PDB file of all heavy atoms in Angstrom:
ATOM      1  N   CYS A   1     -11.830  -7.836  14.430  1.00 96.00           N
ATOM      2  CA  CYS A   1     -13.136  -8.002  13.798  1.00 96.00           C
ATOM      3  C   CYS A   1     -14.094  -8.639  14.795  1.00 96.00           C
ATOM      4  O   CYS A   1     -13.837  -9.739  15.304  1.00 96.00           O
ATOM      5  CB  CYS A   1     -12.998  -8.879  12.553  1.00 96.00           C
ATOM      6  SG  CYS A   1     -14.578  -9.222  11.727  1.00 96.00           S
ATOM      7  N   LEU A   2     -15.194  -7.969  15.066  1.00 95.00           N
ATOM      8  CA  LEU A   2     -16.179  -8.482  16.019  1.00 95.00           C
ATOM      9  C   LEU A   2     -16.999  -9.613  15.429  1.00 95.00           C
ATOM     10  O   LEU A   2     -17.679 -10.339  16.155  1.00 95.00           O
ATOM     11  CB  LEU A   2     -17.102  -7.348  16.469  1.00 95.00           C
ATOM     12  CG  LEU A   2     -16.417  -6.173  17.192  1.00 95.00           C
ATOM     13  CD1 LEU A   2     -17.434  -5.097  17.537  1.00 95.00           C
ATOM     14  CD2 LEU A   2     -15.683  -6.656  18.435  1.00 95.00           C
ATOM     15  N   THR A   3     -16.930  -9.776  14.107  1.00 96.00           N
ATOM     16  CA  THR A   3     -17.720 -10.817  13.447  1.00 96.00           C
ATOM     17  C   THR A   3     -16.999 -12.162  13.433  1.00 96.00           C
ATOM     18  O   THR A   3     -17.578 -13.190  13.781  1.00 96.00           O
ATOM     19  CB  THR A   3     -18.055 -10.395  12.002  1.00 96.00           C
ATOM     20  OG1 THR A   3     -18.781  -9.166  12.020  1.00 96.00           O
ATOM     21  CG2 THR A   3     -18.878 -11.469  11.296  1.00 96.00           C
ATOM     22  N   CYS A   4     -15.706 -12.164  13.055  1.00 96.00           N
ATOM     23  CA  CYS A   4     -14.993 -13.437  12.920  1.00 96.00           C
ATOM     24  C   CYS A   4     -13.762 -13.537  13.812  1.00 96.00           C
ATOM     25  O   CYS A   4     -13.019 -14.519  13.741  1.00 96.00           O
ATOM     26  CB  CYS A   4     -14.596 -13.682  11.468  1.00 96.00           C
ATOM     27  SG  CYS A   4     -13.281 -12.591  10.861  1.00 96.00           S
ATOM     28  N   ASN A   5     -13.509 -12.487  14.633  1.00 95.00           N
ATOM     29  CA  ASN A   5     -12.385 -12.478  15.579  1.00 95.00           C
ATOM     30  C   ASN A   5     -11.010 -12.404  14.911  1.00 95.00           C
ATOM     31  O   ASN A   5      -9.996 -12.690  15.549  1.00 95.00           O
ATOM     32  CB  ASN A   5     -12.433 -13.691  16.515  1.00 95.00           C
ATOM     33  CG  ASN A   5     -13.630 -13.650  17.455  1.00 95.00           C
ATOM     34  OD1 ASN A   5     -13.996 -12.591  17.966  1.00 95.00           O
ATOM     35  ND2 ASN A   5     -14.255 -14.804  17.667  1.00 95.00           N
ATOM     36  N   ASN A   6     -10.957 -12.025  13.654  1.00 96.00           N
ATOM     37  CA  ASN A   6      -9.672 -11.807  12.991  1.00 96.00           C
ATOM     38  C   ASN A   6      -8.978 -10.590  13.613  1.00 96.00           C
ATOM     39  O   ASN A   6      -9.644  -9.641  14.052  1.00 96.00           O
ATOM     40  CB  ASN A   6      -9.893 -11.575  11.497  1.00 96.00           C
ATOM     41  CG  ASN A   6      -8.596 -11.432  10.732  1.00 96.00           C
ATOM     42  OD1 ASN A   6      -7.597 -12.072  11.059  1.00 96.00           O
ATOM     43  ND2 ASN A   6      -8.610 -10.590   9.710  1.00 96.00           N
ATOM     44  N   THR A   7      -7.662 -10.626  13.688  1.00 95.00           N
ATOM     45  CA  THR A   7      -6.913  -9.505  14.264  1.00 95.00           C
ATOM     46  C   THR A   7      -5.861  -9.005  13.285  1.00 95.00           C
ATOM     47  O   THR A   7      -5.303  -9.776  12.486  1.00 95.00           O
ATOM     48  CB  THR A   7      -6.219  -9.915  15.580  1.00 95.00           C
ATOM     49  OG1 THR A   7      -5.315 -10.999  15.326  1.00 95.00           O
ATOM     50  CG2 THR A   7      -7.243 -10.347  16.615  1.00 95.00           C
ATOM     51  N   GLU A   8      -5.563  -7.714  13.340  1.00 95.00           N
ATOM     52  CA  GLU A   8      -4.550  -7.090  12.489  1.00 95.00           C
ATOM     53  C   GLU A   8      -3.642  -6.227  13.350  1.00 95.00           C
ATOM     54  O   GLU A   8      -4.124  -5.385  14.123  1.00 95.00           O
ATOM     55  CB  GLU A   8      -5.207  -6.225  11.401  1.00 95.00           C
ATOM     56  CG  GLU A   8      -6.074  -6.974  10.411  1.00 95.00           C
ATOM     57  CD  GLU A   8      -5.265  -7.740   9.376  1.00 95.00           C
ATOM     58  OE1 GLU A   8      -4.026  -7.565   9.359  1.00 95.00           O
ATOM     59  OE2 GLU A   8      -5.859  -8.488   8.588  1.00 95.00           O
ATOM     60  N   TYR A   9      -2.329  -6.420  13.196  1.00 94.00           N
ATOM     61  CA  TYR A   9      -1.328  -5.615  13.896  1.00 94.00           C
ATOM     62  C   TYR A   9      -0.560  -4.777  12.875  1.00 94.00           C
ATOM     63  O   TYR A   9      -0.506  -5.117  11.686  1.00 94.00           O
ATOM     64  CB  TYR A   9      -0.370  -6.511  14.676  1.00 94.00           C
ATOM     65  CG  TYR A   9      -0.992  -7.171  15.880  1.00 94.00           C
ATOM     66  CD1 TYR A   9      -1.653  -8.397  15.766  1.00 94.00           C
ATOM     67  CD2 TYR A   9      -0.935  -6.572  17.132  1.00 94.00           C
ATOM     68  CE1 TYR A   9      -2.234  -9.005  16.877  1.00 94.00           C
ATOM     69  CE2 TYR A   9      -1.510  -7.171  18.249  1.00 94.00           C
ATOM     70  CZ  TYR A   9      -2.160  -8.386  18.101  1.00 94.00           C
ATOM     71  OH  TYR A   9      -2.744  -8.977  19.202  1.00 94.00           O
ATOM     72  N   PRO A  10       0.075  -3.676  13.318  1.00 93.00           N
ATOM     73  CA  PRO A  10       0.840  -2.849  12.385  1.00 93.00           C
ATOM     74  C   PRO A  10       1.875  -3.664  11.612  1.00 93.00           C
ATOM     75  O   PRO A  10       2.513  -4.574  12.157  1.00 93.00           O
ATOM     76  CB  PRO A  10       1.505  -1.818  13.300  1.00 93.00           C
ATOM     77  CG  PRO A  10       0.565  -1.687  14.439  1.00 93.00           C
ATOM     78  CD  PRO A  10       0.015  -3.072  14.668  1.00 93.00           C
ATOM     79  N   LYS A  11       2.010  -3.329  10.342  1.00 87.00           N
ATOM     80  CA  LYS A  11       2.902  -4.062   9.443  1.00 87.00           C
ATOM     81  C   LYS A  11       4.345  -3.605   9.637  1.00 87.00           C
ATOM     82  O   LYS A  11       4.657  -2.417   9.555  1.00 87.00           O
ATOM     83  CB  LYS A  11       2.481  -3.819   7.989  1.00 87.00           C
ATOM     84  CG  LYS A  11       3.342  -4.517   6.960  1.00 87.00           C
ATOM     85  CD  LYS A  11       2.837  -4.253   5.560  1.00 87.00           C
ATOM     86  CE  LYS A  11       2.995  -2.810   5.143  1.00 87.00           C
ATOM     87  NZ  LYS A  11       2.618  -2.560   3.733  1.00 87.00           N
ATOM     88  N   ILE A  12       5.228  -4.559   9.922  1.00 91.00           N
ATOM     89  CA  ILE A  12       6.658  -4.275  10.011  1.00 91.00           C
ATOM     90  C   ILE A  12       7.378  -5.339   9.188  1.00 91.00           C
ATOM     91  O   ILE A  12       7.293  -6.527   9.496  1.00 91.00           O
ATOM     92  CB  ILE A  12       7.164  -4.304  11.465  1.00 91.00           C
ATOM     93  CG1 ILE A  12       6.383  -3.306  12.326  1.00 91.00           C
ATOM     94  CG2 ILE A  12       8.661  -3.984  11.520  1.00 91.00           C
ATOM     95  CD1 ILE A  12       6.681  -3.417  13.802  1.00 91.00           C
ATOM     96  N   MET A  13       8.092  -4.932   8.147  1.00 94.00           N
ATOM     97  CA  MET A  13       8.735  -5.885   7.261  1.00 94.00           C
ATOM     98  C   MET A  13      10.236  -5.946   7.542  1.00 94.00           C
ATOM     99  O   MET A  13      10.919  -4.919   7.521  1.00 94.00           O
ATOM    100  CB  MET A  13       8.494  -5.484   5.799  1.00 94.00           C
ATOM    101  CG  MET A  13       7.035  -5.492   5.409  1.00 94.00           C
ATOM    102  SD  MET A  13       6.734  -5.097   3.672  1.00 94.00           S
ATOM    103  CE  MET A  13       7.171  -3.350   3.639  1.00 94.00           C
ATOM    104  N   PRO A  14      10.780  -7.137   7.800  1.00 96.00           N
ATOM    105  CA  PRO A  14      12.219  -7.260   8.044  1.00 96.00           C
ATOM    106  C   PRO A  14      13.016  -7.169   6.746  1.00 96.00           C
ATOM    107  O   PRO A  14      12.628  -7.732   5.721  1.00 96.00           O
ATOM    108  CB  PRO A  14      12.352  -8.652   8.677  1.00 96.00           C
ATOM    109  CG  PRO A  14      11.199  -9.423   8.121  1.00 96.00           C
ATOM    110  CD  PRO A  14      10.079  -8.429   7.950  1.00 96.00           C
ATOM    111  N   ALA A  15      14.117  -6.454   6.802  1.00 97.00           N
ATOM    112  CA  ALA A  15      14.990  -6.310   5.633  1.00 97.00           C
ATOM    113  C   ALA A  15      16.426  -6.142   6.102  1.00 97.00           C
ATOM    114  O   ALA A  15      16.684  -5.852   7.272  1.00 97.00           O
ATOM    115  CB  ALA A  15      14.564  -5.107   4.783  1.00 97.00           C
ATOM    116  N   VAL A  16      17.372  -6.344   5.186  1.00 98.00           N
ATOM    117  CA  VAL A  16      18.787  -6.246   5.526  1.00 98.00           C
ATOM    118  C   VAL A  16      19.453  -5.138   4.720  1.00 98.00           C
ATOM    119  O   VAL A  16      19.073  -4.850   3.583  1.00 98.00           O
ATOM    120  CB  VAL A  16      19.531  -7.575   5.287  1.00 98.00           C
ATOM    121  CG1 VAL A  16      19.010  -8.650   6.225  1.00 98.00           C
ATOM    122  CG2 VAL A  16      19.403  -8.023   3.835  1.00 98.00           C
ATOM    123  N   ILE A  17      20.443  -4.499   5.351  1.00 97.00           N
ATOM    124  CA  ILE A  17      21.367  -3.589   4.693  1.00 97.00           C
ATOM    125  C   ILE A  17      22.733  -4.265   4.750  1.00 97.00           C
ATOM    126  O   ILE A  17      23.160  -4.715   5.816  1.00 97.00           O
ATOM    127  CB  ILE A  17      21.419  -2.221   5.412  1.00 97.00           C
ATOM    128  CG1 ILE A  17      20.050  -1.542   5.356  1.00 97.00           C
ATOM    129  CG2 ILE A  17      22.495  -1.333   4.801  1.00 97.00           C
ATOM    130  CD1 ILE A  17      19.643  -1.069   3.988  1.00 97.00           C
ATOM    131  N   ILE A  18      23.424  -4.334   3.618  1.00 98.00           N
ATOM    132  CA  ILE A  18      24.639  -5.147   3.548  1.00 98.00           C
ATOM    133  C   ILE A  18      25.816  -4.317   3.059  1.00 98.00           C
ATOM    134  O   ILE A  18      25.804  -3.797   1.936  1.00 98.00           O
ATOM    135  CB  ILE A  18      24.450  -6.338   2.595  1.00 98.00           C
ATOM    136  CG1 ILE A  18      23.109  -7.028   2.843  1.00 98.00           C
ATOM    137  CG2 ILE A  18      25.613  -7.310   2.715  1.00 98.00           C
ATOM    138  CD1 ILE A  18      22.509  -7.667   1.621  1.00 98.00           C
ATOM    139  N   ALA A  19      26.822  -4.205   3.914  1.00 97.00           N
ATOM    140  CA  ALA A  19      28.083  -3.572   3.525  1.00 97.00           C
ATOM    141  C   ALA A  19      29.046  -4.681   3.134  1.00 97.00           C
ATOM    142  O   ALA A  19      29.616  -5.359   3.996  1.00 97.00           O
ATOM    143  CB  ALA A  19      28.642  -2.740   4.667  1.00 97.00           C
ATOM    144  N   VAL A  20      29.214  -4.908   1.837  1.00 98.00           N
ATOM    145  CA  VAL A  20      30.137  -5.926   1.346  1.00 98.00           C
ATOM    146  C   VAL A  20      31.521  -5.293   1.249  1.00 98.00           C
ATOM    147  O   VAL A  20      31.697  -4.265   0.586  1.00 98.00           O
ATOM    148  CB  VAL A  20      29.698  -6.461  -0.023  1.00 98.00           C
ATOM    149  CG1 VAL A  20      30.663  -7.557  -0.496  1.00 98.00           C
ATOM    150  CG2 VAL A  20      28.266  -6.997   0.045  1.00 98.00           C
ATOM    151  N   THR A  21      32.511  -5.912   1.909  1.00 97.00           N
ATOM    152  CA  THR A  21      33.856  -5.348   1.937  1.00 97.00           C
ATOM    153  C   THR A  21      34.858  -6.317   1.316  1.00 97.00           C
ATOM    154  O   THR A  21      34.634  -7.527   1.264  1.00 97.00           O
ATOM    155  CB  THR A  21      34.291  -5.012   3.371  1.00 97.00           C
ATOM    156  OG1 THR A  21      34.381  -6.223   4.144  1.00 97.00           O
ATOM    157  CG2 THR A  21      33.285  -4.062   4.031  1.00 97.00           C
ATOM    158  N   ASN A  22      35.963  -5.747   0.885  1.00 96.00           N
ATOM    159  CA  ASN A  22      37.054  -6.527   0.296  1.00 96.00           C
ATOM    160  C   ASN A  22      38.353  -5.847   0.681  1.00 96.00           C
ATOM    161  O   ASN A  22      38.852  -4.981  -0.041  1.00 96.00           O
ATOM    162  CB  ASN A  22      36.895  -6.595  -1.226  1.00 96.00           C
ATOM    163  CG  ASN A  22      37.942  -7.477  -1.871  1.00 96.00           C
ATOM    164  OD1 ASN A  22      38.687  -8.174  -1.191  1.00 96.00           O
ATOM    165  ND2 ASN A  22      38.014  -7.441  -3.199  1.00 96.00           N
ATOM    166  N   GLY A  23      38.850  -6.163   1.869  1.00 94.00           N
ATOM    167  CA  GLY A  23      40.034  -5.483   2.373  1.00 94.00           C
ATOM    168  C   GLY A  23      39.742  -4.025   2.644  1.00 94.00           C
ATOM    169  O   GLY A  23      38.888  -3.687   3.471  1.00 94.00           O
ATOM    170  N   ASN A  24      40.410  -3.157   1.905  1.00 95.00           N
ATOM    171  CA  ASN A  24      40.247  -1.712   2.077  1.00 95.00           C
ATOM    172  C   ASN A  24      39.124  -1.137   1.223  1.00 95.00           C
ATOM    173  O   ASN A  24      38.954   0.078   1.144  1.00 95.00           O
ATOM    174  CB  ASN A  24      41.565  -0.999   1.736  1.00 95.00           C
ATOM    175  CG  ASN A  24      41.614   0.422   2.256  1.00 95.00           C
ATOM    176  OD1 ASN A  24      41.353   0.671   3.428  1.00 95.00           O
ATOM    177  ND2 ASN A  24      41.934   1.378   1.377  1.00 95.00           N
ATOM    178  N   LYS A  25      38.345  -1.993   0.576  1.00 96.00           N
ATOM    179  CA  LYS A  25      37.309  -1.538  -0.347  1.00 96.00           C
ATOM    180  C   LYS A  25      35.917  -1.919   0.161  1.00 96.00           C
ATOM    181  O   LYS A  25      35.741  -2.917   0.848  1.00 96.00           O
ATOM    182  CB  LYS A  25      37.541  -2.142  -1.742  1.00 96.00           C
ATOM    183  CG  LYS A  25      38.837  -1.712  -2.405  1.00 96.00           C
ATOM    184  CD  LYS A  25      38.943  -2.238  -3.822  1.00 96.00           C
ATOM    185  CE  LYS A  25      39.121  -3.754  -3.841  1.00 96.00           C
ATOM    186  NZ  LYS A  25      39.387  -4.240  -5.238  1.00 96.00           N
ATOM    187  N   ILE A  26      34.941  -1.104  -0.217  1.00 97.00           N
ATOM    188  CA  ILE A  26      33.541  -1.369   0.095  1.00 97.00           C
ATOM    189  C   ILE A  26      32.730  -1.266  -1.195  1.00 97.00           C
ATOM    190  O   ILE A  26      33.047  -0.475  -2.095  1.00 97.00           O
ATOM    191  CB  ILE A  26      33.007  -0.385   1.166  1.00 97.00           C
ATOM    192  CG1 ILE A  26      31.615  -0.800   1.644  1.00 97.00           C
ATOM    193  CG2 ILE A  26      32.996   1.054   0.633  1.00 97.00           C
ATOM    194  CD1 ILE A  26      31.125  -0.008   2.863  1.00 97.00           C
ATOM    195  N   LEU A  27      31.693  -2.072  -1.297  1.00 97.00           N
ATOM    196  CA  LEU A  27      30.854  -2.085  -2.491  1.00 97.00           C
ATOM    197  C   LEU A  27      29.694  -1.109  -2.315  1.00 97.00           C
ATOM    198  O   LEU A  27      28.889  -1.247  -1.389  1.00 97.00           O
ATOM    199  CB  LEU A  27      30.309  -3.492  -2.731  1.00 97.00           C
ATOM    200  CG  LEU A  27      29.503  -3.699  -4.015  1.00 97.00           C
ATOM    201  CD1 LEU A  27      30.395  -3.522  -5.238  1.00 97.00           C
ATOM    202  CD2 LEU A  27      28.857  -5.081  -4.023  1.00 97.00           C
ATOM    203  N   LEU A  28      29.612  -0.117  -3.197  1.00 96.00           N
ATOM    204  CA  LEU A  28      28.502   0.840  -3.202  1.00 96.00           C
ATOM    205  C   LEU A  28      27.716   0.687  -4.491  1.00 96.00           C
ATOM    206  O   LEU A  28      28.270   0.342  -5.547  1.00 96.00           O
ATOM    207  CB  LEU A  28      29.017   2.267  -3.062  1.00 96.00           C
ATOM    208  CG  LEU A  28      29.826   2.599  -1.805  1.00 96.00           C
ATOM    209  CD1 LEU A  28      30.205   4.078  -1.795  1.00 96.00           C
ATOM    210  CD2 LEU A  28      29.061   2.234  -0.541  1.00 96.00           C
ATOM    211  N   SER A  29      26.430   0.977  -4.410  1.00 94.00           N
ATOM    212  CA  SER A  29      25.562   0.799  -5.567  1.00 94.00           C
ATOM    213  C   SER A  29      24.595   1.966  -5.690  1.00 94.00           C
ATOM    214  O   SER A  29      24.461   2.790  -4.782  1.00 94.00           O
ATOM    215  CB  SER A  29      24.777  -0.513  -5.441  1.00 94.00           C
ATOM    216  OG  SER A  29      23.919  -0.467  -4.312  1.00 94.00           O
ATOM    217  N   LYS A  30      23.920   2.022  -6.834  1.00 91.00           N
ATOM    218  CA  LYS A  30      22.828   2.962  -7.040  1.00 91.00           C
ATOM    219  C   LYS A  30      21.632   2.186  -7.569  1.00 91.00           C
ATOM    220  O   LYS A  30      21.769   1.315  -8.430  1.00 91.00           O
ATOM    221  CB  LYS A  30      23.214   4.070  -8.021  1.00 91.00           C
ATOM    222  CG  LYS A  30      24.228   5.054  -7.473  1.00 91.00           C
ATOM    223  CD  LYS A  30      24.437   6.239  -8.416  1.00 91.00           C
ATOM    224  CE  LYS A  30      25.377   7.275  -7.814  1.00 91.00           C
ATOM    225  NZ  LYS A  30      25.545   8.462  -8.694  1.00 91.00           N
ATOM    226  N   TYR A  31      20.450   2.540  -7.042  1.00 87.00           N
ATOM    227  CA  TYR A  31      19.241   1.852  -7.456  1.00 87.00           C
ATOM    228  C   TYR A  31      18.874   2.190  -8.900  1.00 87.00           C
ATOM    229  O   TYR A  31      19.168   3.290  -9.399  1.00 87.00           O
ATOM    230  CB  TYR A  31      18.065   2.226  -6.554  1.00 87.00           C
ATOM    231  CG  TYR A  31      18.245   1.832  -5.108  1.00 87.00           C
ATOM    232  CD1 TYR A  31      18.278   2.793  -4.103  1.00 87.00           C
ATOM    233  CD2 TYR A  31      18.382   0.500  -4.748  1.00 87.00           C
ATOM    234  CE1 TYR A  31      18.433   2.434  -2.768  1.00 87.00           C
ATOM    235  CE2 TYR A  31      18.535   0.127  -3.422  1.00 87.00           C
ATOM    236  CZ  TYR A  31      18.570   1.101  -2.440  1.00 87.00           C
ATOM    237  OH  TYR A  31      18.731   0.737  -1.134  1.00 87.00           O
ATOM    238  N   ALA A  32      18.202   1.260  -9.547  1.00 84.00           N
ATOM    239  CA  ALA A  32      17.682   1.496 -10.891  1.00 84.00           C
ATOM    240  C   ALA A  32      16.243   1.987 -10.810  1.00 84.00           C
ATOM    241  O   ALA A  32      15.446   1.487 -10.003  1.00 84.00           O
ATOM    242  CB  ALA A  32      17.744   0.217 -11.716  1.00 84.00           C
ATOM    243  N   ASN A  33      15.913   2.995 -11.608  1.00 78.00           N
ATOM    244  CA  ASN A  33      14.534   3.469 -11.756  1.00 78.00           C
ATOM    245  C   ASN A  33      13.892   3.920 -10.451  1.00 78.00           C
ATOM    246  O   ASN A  33      12.729   3.626 -10.176  1.00 78.00           O
ATOM    247  CB  ASN A  33      13.666   2.376 -12.402  1.00 78.00           C
ATOM    248  CG  ASN A  33      14.232   1.878 -13.707  1.00 78.00           C
ATOM    249  OD1 ASN A  33      14.643   2.682 -14.551  1.00 78.00           O
ATOM    250  ND2 ASN A  33      14.289   0.576 -13.889  1.00 78.00           N
ATOM    251  N   ARG A  34      14.654   4.615  -9.615  1.00 71.00           N
ATOM    252  CA  ARG A  34      14.107   5.175  -8.380  1.00 71.00           C
ATOM    253  C   ARG A  34      14.498   6.638  -8.261  1.00 71.00           C
ATOM    254  O   ARG A  34      15.472   7.095  -8.875  1.00 71.00           O
ATOM    255  CB  ARG A  34      14.639   4.423  -7.152  1.00 71.00           C
ATOM    256  CG  ARG A  34      14.209   2.971  -7.081  1.00 71.00           C
ATOM    257  CD  ARG A  34      14.431   2.433  -5.692  1.00 71.00           C
ATOM    258  NE  ARG A  34      14.417   0.989  -5.647  1.00 71.00           N
ATOM    259  CZ  ARG A  34      14.605   0.278  -4.547  1.00 71.00           C
ATOM    260  NH1 ARG A  34      14.842   0.896  -3.396  1.00 71.00           N
ATOM    261  NH2 ARG A  34      14.594  -1.040  -4.577  1.00 71.00           N
ATOM    262  N   GLU A  35      13.714   7.367  -7.456  1.00 69.00           N
ATOM    263  CA  GLU A  35      14.012   8.778  -7.250  1.00 69.00           C
ATOM    264  C   GLU A  35      15.314   8.967  -6.482  1.00 69.00           C
ATOM    265  O   GLU A  35      16.027   9.946  -6.675  1.00 69.00           O
ATOM    266  CB  GLU A  35      12.860   9.451  -6.491  1.00 69.00           C
ATOM    267  CG  GLU A  35      11.555   9.512  -7.282  1.00 69.00           C
ATOM    268  CD  GLU A  35      10.461  10.221  -6.517  1.00 69.00           C
ATOM    269  OE1 GLU A  35      10.747  10.761  -5.420  1.00 69.00           O
ATOM    270  OE2 GLU A  35       9.321  10.244  -7.007  1.00 69.00           O
ATOM    271  N   TYR A  36      15.639   8.020  -5.584  1.00 67.00           N
ATOM    272  CA  TYR A  36      16.864   8.119  -4.788  1.00 67.00           C
ATOM    273  C   TYR A  36      18.039   7.758  -5.683  1.00 67.00           C
ATOM    274  O   TYR A  36      18.144   6.627  -6.175  1.00 67.00           O
ATOM    275  CB  TYR A  36      16.801   7.172  -3.590  1.00 67.00           C
ATOM    276  CG  TYR A  36      17.940   7.354  -2.613  1.00 67.00           C
ATOM    277  CD1 TYR A  36      17.862   8.302  -1.605  1.00 67.00           C
ATOM    278  CD2 TYR A  36      19.096   6.576  -2.697  1.00 67.00           C
ATOM    279  CE1 TYR A  36      18.898   8.475  -0.688  1.00 67.00           C
ATOM    280  CE2 TYR A  36      20.137   6.739  -1.792  1.00 67.00           C
ATOM    281  CZ  TYR A  36      20.033   7.687  -0.794  1.00 67.00           C
ATOM    282  OH  TYR A  36      21.046   7.865   0.097  1.00 67.00           O
ATOM    283  N   THR A  37      18.949   8.709  -5.930  1.00 72.00           N
ATOM    284  CA  THR A  37      20.025   8.517  -6.901  1.00 72.00           C
ATOM    285  C   THR A  37      21.415   8.522  -6.260  1.00 72.00           C
ATOM    286  O   THR A  37      22.411   8.469  -6.973  1.00 72.00           O
ATOM    287  CB  THR A  37      19.966   9.606  -7.979  1.00 72.00           C
ATOM    288  OG1 THR A  37      20.073  10.904  -7.358  1.00 72.00           O
ATOM    289  CG2 THR A  37      18.663   9.529  -8.763  1.00 72.00           C
ATOM    290  N   ARG A  38      21.495   8.589  -4.929  1.00 84.00           N
ATOM    291  CA  ARG A  38      22.803   8.608  -4.284  1.00 84.00           C
ATOM    292  C   ARG A  38      23.322   7.179  -4.095  1.00 84.00           C
ATOM    293  O   ARG A  38      22.589   6.208  -4.234  1.00 84.00           O
ATOM    294  CB  ARG A  38      22.699   9.313  -2.924  1.00 84.00           C
ATOM    295  CG  ARG A  38      22.238  10.757  -3.027  1.00 84.00           C
ATOM    296  CD  ARG A  38      21.918  11.328  -1.651  1.00 84.00           C
ATOM    297  NE  ARG A  38      21.384  12.679  -1.746  1.00 84.00           N
ATOM    298  CZ  ARG A  38      20.812  13.339  -0.755  1.00 84.00           C
ATOM    299  NH1 ARG A  38      20.700  12.751   0.429  1.00 84.00           N
ATOM    300  NH2 ARG A  38      20.352  14.564  -0.923  1.00 84.00           N
ATOM    301  N   TYR A  39      24.603   7.087  -3.774  1.00 91.00           N
ATOM    302  CA  TYR A  39      25.189   5.780  -3.501  1.00 91.00           C
ATOM    303  C   TYR A  39      24.579   5.171  -2.238  1.00 91.00           C
ATOM    304  O   TYR A  39      24.282   5.871  -1.282  1.00 91.00           O
ATOM    305  CB  TYR A  39      26.699   5.895  -3.336  1.00 91.00           C
ATOM    306  CG  TYR A  39      27.449   6.000  -4.644  1.00 91.00           C
ATOM    307  CD1 TYR A  39      27.971   7.221  -5.074  1.00 91.00           C
ATOM    308  CD2 TYR A  39      27.643   4.875  -5.449  1.00 91.00           C
ATOM    309  CE1 TYR A  39      28.659   7.323  -6.267  1.00 91.00           C
ATOM    310  CE2 TYR A  39      28.330   4.974  -6.653  1.00 91.00           C
ATOM    311  CZ  TYR A  39      28.833   6.192  -7.053  1.00 91.00           C
ATOM    312  OH  TYR A  39      29.518   6.289  -8.245  1.00 91.00           O
ATOM    313  N   ALA A  40      24.410   3.858  -2.257  1.00 92.00           N
ATOM    314  CA  ALA A  40      23.833   3.146  -1.126  1.00 92.00           C
ATOM    315  C   ALA A  40      24.495   1.786  -1.012  1.00 92.00           C
ATOM    316  O   ALA A  40      25.264   1.363  -1.889  1.00 92.00           O
ATOM    317  CB  ALA A  40      22.331   2.986  -1.306  1.00 92.00           C
TER     318      ALA A  40
END
């Protein structure tokens, strides 16, 4: 901004993907109320 010198950079949001395991097992889930319906 040439008026107040404010600056804006592209938005990048940090997030985690978590594979919870229990020996030979892994926890899979499906989202609620979303178009994506596969296991995640």
Side-chain angles (χ1 to χ4, degrees):
C1 177
L2 299 178
T3 301
C4 71
N5 293 321
N6 184 34
T7 59
E8 297 284 353
Y9 289 88
K11 179 179 67 175
I12 303 172
M13 298 183 290
V16 295
I17 297 290
I18 315 150
V20 182
T21 64
N22 184 9
N24 196 51
K25 297 185 291 187
I26 189 171
L27 185 66
L28 301 183
S29 63
K30 290 188 176 182
Y31 298 118
N33 306 314
R34 295 196 197 179
E35 294 182 6
Y36 188 86
T37 58
R38 299 170 184 168
Y39 281 104

